[in-house]
Amino acid sequence: MLAIIGGSGLSQFSALEVSHRRRARTPWGEPSAALTFGHVAGRPAVFLARHGDAHSIPPHQVNYRANIWALCECEPVGIVSVAAVGSIHPDLRPGDLVLPHQIIDYTWGRPSTYHEGPDSVVTHVDFTEPYDPLLRRQLAEAATAIGALVRVDAVYAATQGPRLETAAEINRLERDGADVVGMTGMPEAILARELGLPYAAINVVANYAAGRGDSRQGVSLEAIHDVLDRAMERVRAIIRTMLASDD
Ligand code: HPA
């Protein structure tokens, strides 16, 4: 079974033939929404809406630990996380798809480990390569198979939100080496790693980041919905193709 986490623009996964929904409870609290089980291209899959069914949970209040724990209990082969991002790299335009290979974490105050509490021992987890190389390759191959262009290497900057960044903050992220910016990539990726789950992300460029491209004077939120709607069609096709070709 593949687990899929959907973000802004993907709070339902229409490629999923739904069999049932189940509310999960975890030692870390309740996930953002009920888990939706079903099949994509005849293969079992489970879907979770990161921001809740009504898109009401902001990035800094998502219960990432409950989300990843609940998915882990379904024993998936991996997690594909879909998330909207702003573009920092000049080559990346709204509507483009990105399979990031690295993360810089600027978030703060988010519960970001399972290794804490009275019964826990201090544990340091290797995170040199935050995304699973095999899952990334499968996604890239599926994208190639359907002729969807994806950028296969990019550094993802995870910011705290829910506000967007200032232009100076985006300049700083660029100097740090970031290509795209989003608000939910962390601690999702490290929690999956702590539980030993292969994790990869498909980022959908929703807008130019603050101070860039047509966001020079400000980020227009109206345009974002249209861009996401159109791009999510390709995201669904990539995941469908990846699952269909999985023997
Ligand atoms: N910044 C942070 N997160 C985002 C953006 C952005 O410009 N666009 C979509 N998610």
Side-chain angles (χ1 to χ4, degrees), residues 5-8 50-51 55 57-64 67 81-88 100 103-112 131 155-166 169-170 173 178-189 191 199 201-210 219 221 224 228:
I5 302 178
S8 300
R50 181 188 290 115
H51 299 286
H55 203 264
I57 309 171
H60 64 296
Q61 288 180 338
V62 169
N63 189 339
Y64 295 96
N67 285 356
S81 160
V82 183
V85 293
S87 141
I88 300 175
I103 298 177
I104 306 176
D105 186 10
Y106 300 91
T107 66
W108 47 269
R110 301 181 181 188
S112 56
Y131 298 105
V155 176
Y156 175 101
T159 55
Q160 178 70 0
R163 68 165 177 84
L164 292 162
E165 299 72 34
T166 66
E169 285 170 336
I170 293 300
L173 299 187
D179 300 302
V180 294
V181 55
M183 302 175 189
T184 56
M186 286 294 284
E188 214 172 73
L191 292 168
Y199 175 96
I202 305 183
N203 291 149
V204 181
V205 177
N207 56 283
Y208 288 104
V219 179
L221 297 171
I224 288 182
L228 286 181

Side-chain angles (χ1 to χ4, degrees), residues 5-17:
I5 302 178
S8 300
L10 195 74
S11 40
Q12 285 173 1
F13 194 69
S14 59
L16 184 70
E17 288 166 40

